[in-house]
Every structure is written in structure tokens, then in C-alpha cells.
Amino acid sequence: MAAPEFDVLLKTLLVGESGAGKTSFLERYSDNFFGERYISCIGIDFKIKTVQCLGKRVKLQMWDTAGQERFRTITRSYYRGSAIIFIAFDVTEADALSKLDHWITEVESWAPETCTPVVLGCKIDLESKRKVTAEDAEAFAGLRSLPYFECSSKTSIGVDDAVMGAMFQHFSGQPNRNRRRSYPDKKAVKGVQLPAAVSSVENTTPKSCYC
């Protein structure tokens, strides 16, 4: 019998408002691609990528969900079995943090207790349009005992750190949503220096993402 191609399968979910940057984040991480033209995600899509993390071969099954109200009933069914959930927001939207509480409540209501939720600020390359500061976002996440990362899918800054940092935290045994998750002596907003064992291995995309 052939040896399995991975040690651990992690279901990863991206949730948040429509236009938050979820699809661009997924495409940059899985395909190293960024599309300048914005097309809203319709329903659900996914990609698969295999990486090394802390000596484990991890197969990431990454689900991109639509943020529109009419799709939220469908989205809720995908919380089941999730190991990591990225709650994404657009840092150029002034009211983005106020909308995040809805998504955090969704995660608390529908996701497994063992999942690792992460707040993810997107579009930090748009510095002149930025409305939510890194300090405010990190404080918001900290008050809710959630880790915070931010990234630019356009420039790729912070994208790998967010995914690898979330996995590192998940495997470090800190999935409980009622506990403060933080990296000692590190600013989560800047990413985290991960062990040398963490590296990308393989990218497999079962289908193209048209959302």
C-alpha cells in the first residue's frame, strides 16, 4: 500500500464581508496569483495546498465563502469540521471592525470548539486609503482573545505568515476560543518568525476559482 501523501488534513475556512479580500488572499496563497479585477465570490469555492509545518505534512483544504447575506445559510454548513477559520476584513473600510462581531458570533455559534479562529486584515498595500490601523485591529482581536494578522494579497506581504502562523498556533494546542492566543515577544500584526521546519511544499488546485 502506498504511503499517504500527507500526515494531517486541515479544513480551513475564509469568512467575512463581500469584498473583504478573501478570494484574493486564497488565490495569492494557493496559486501565487493576484487579479486586479474584482469579481464577487458566488457561493463556495476551494483550493488545496500541501505544506510542511512542525515536521508534519499538512494538506490544507481551503474554502472560500461568499459574504453576501443570501449565501450565509450555505456558508454555515461549511463551518462544520473546520480547523482554522480566517475572519477577513478590509482595512480601508471605516466600519469594518463593527461588522466583524457578526462573523465572530457566527464562528462561535457554528464552528467546532477545537477550531482556531484568526482575524485577518486585508489590503494593507492601500496605505493612503487605510481607515483601520494595525493597532486598532490588534486591540480589537485581543479583546476577543483572537490572534491578528494582516496582509496584502497584491504584494503578497503577510500572506504566508498568516497561514503558517495560524497553523503553528493550531498545532501548539491553543484552539480554545475562550483563551488569549499570542506569540511571546512577537507582534502578531507583523507576522511571526516560524521554525525552519515550516515551508511550502506543493500546490494542487483541483479547479480554477472564478469567484
Side-chain angles (χ1 to χ4, degrees):
M1 181 180 295
E5 297 179 354
F6 57 90
D7 300 312
V8 182
L9 175 65
L10 290 185
K11 181 179 178 181
T12 304
L13 198 64
L14 285 155
V15 301
E17 295 294 313
S18 178
K22 303 184 297 295
T23 298
S24 293
F25 175 80
L26 178 60
E27 289 183 337
R28 174 60 80 181
Y29 183 70
S30 64
D31 299 334
N32 196 27
F33 169 80
F34 178 79
E36 292 285 351
R37 184 181 177 188
Y38 168 69
I39 301 176
S40 183
C41 182
I42 304 299
I44 303 288
D45 201 356
F46 79 99
K47 291 182 181 290
I48 293 173
K49 184 168 182 174
T50 303
V51 299
Q52 287 279 347
C53 183
L54 301 179
K56 303 175 188 291
R57 292 170 299 174
V58 182
K59 186 173 184 178
L60 288 169
Q61 188 183 76
M62 307 183 76
W63 293 87
D64 179 20
T65 68
Q68 298 97 320
E69 181 73 35
R70 67 183 184 275
F71 293 118
R72 288 182 184 175
T73 300
I74 299 173
T75 297
R76 285 170 184 161
S77 66
Y78 284 85
Y79 284 104
R80 185 169 53 251
S82 295
I84 296 169
I85 299 178
F86 289 99
I87 308 168
F89 73 96
D90 180 351
V91 301
T92 70
E93 294 290 333
D95 60 347
L97 293 182
S98 65
K99 294 178 180 178
L100 276 184
D101 274 325
H102 161 77
W103 294 102
I104 292 171
T105 299
E106 288 275 292
V107 171
E108 291 173 345
S109 299
W110 299 97
E113 287 292 330
T114 54
C115 81
T116 300
V118 176
V119 177
L120 180 68
C122 301
K123 309 183 187 181
I124 62 171
D125 55 284
L126 300 176
E127 186 61 37
S128 64
K129 298 180 179 179
R130 184 164 188 161
K131 298 295 192 300
V132 181
T133 67
E135 292 75 18
D136 286 346
E138 189 173 14
F140 174 93
L143 286 172
R144 291 152 180 81
S145 301
L146 299 173
Y148 175 66
F149 290 92
E150 59 179 32
C151 68
S152 165
S153 299
K154 183 174 183 178
T155 65
S156 80
I157 291 173
V159 172
D160 284 352
D161 279 351
V163 179
M164 293 297 181
M167 283 196 296
F168 182 73
Q169 198 148 29
H170 184 76
F171 288 131
S172 295
Q174 302 179 53
N176 191 315
R177 292 195 292 274
N178 296 318
R179 282 205 329 238
R180 170 67 175 142
R181 301 177 192 72
S182 61
Y183 296 103
D185 303 321
K186 294 288 181 182
K187 286 186 121 181
V189 67
K190 298 297 184 183
V192 60
Q193 184 71 33
L194 295 175
V198 179
S199 62
S200 178
V201 173
E202 177 189 358
N203 174 25
T204 306
T205 54
K207 62 190 180 75
S208 297
C209 179
Y210 297 105
C211 55

